[in-house]
Amino acid sequence: MAVIIRKQIKNGELGPRDRIPSESEMVRDHGVARDTARQAVALLREEGWVLTLPQRGSFSPTGRAGRRRAPRLARGVSRRPG
């Protein structure tokens, strides 16, 4: 699943800030186990390909092939401590 989603981001099928399929959608549409879907999202998040927002879903932060930058922070969140 991670390979499929990564490819969709690289090809522009998933653009900047597009929501990636939920775990339930991956299970239904691709016939994978829920644990497999969960691991795929965790791997993509770890690699910087997706950003997960609690109770909102996971999103493509850039949608560009090869660009690996930190996702934009939510409004009101500072990068500097204090």
Side-chain angles (χ1 to χ4, degrees):
M1 279 310 313
V3 171
I4 292 169
I5 295 169
R6 194 179 301 114
K7 182 178 177 182
Q8 290 175 332
I9 294 170
K10 285 181 179 181
N11 292 341
E13 294 173 50
L14 289 172
R17 299 185 186 128
D18 281 351
R19 187 179 69 79
I20 67 164
S22 67
E23 291 176 10
S24 297
E25 291 168 332
M26 288 184 220
V27 169
R28 182 190 68 221
D29 298 341
H30 297 280
V32 299
R34 184 171 292 275
D35 192 49
T36 300
R38 187 174 295 122
Q39 288 174 2
V41 173
L43 176 63
L44 291 166
R45 185 174 46 245
E46 187 177 301
E47 293 176 345
W49 287 100
V50 300
L51 170 66
T52 301
L53 301 174
Q55 299 182 6
R56 294 206 174 179
S58 295
F59 301 85
S60 169
T62 64
R64 294 185 186 264
R67 275 185 90 180
R68 305 272 309 266
R69 64 175 211 217
R72 295 180 71 187
L73 297 174
R75 287 185 194 165
V77 177
S78 173
R79 290 183 186 263
R80 290 183 229 144

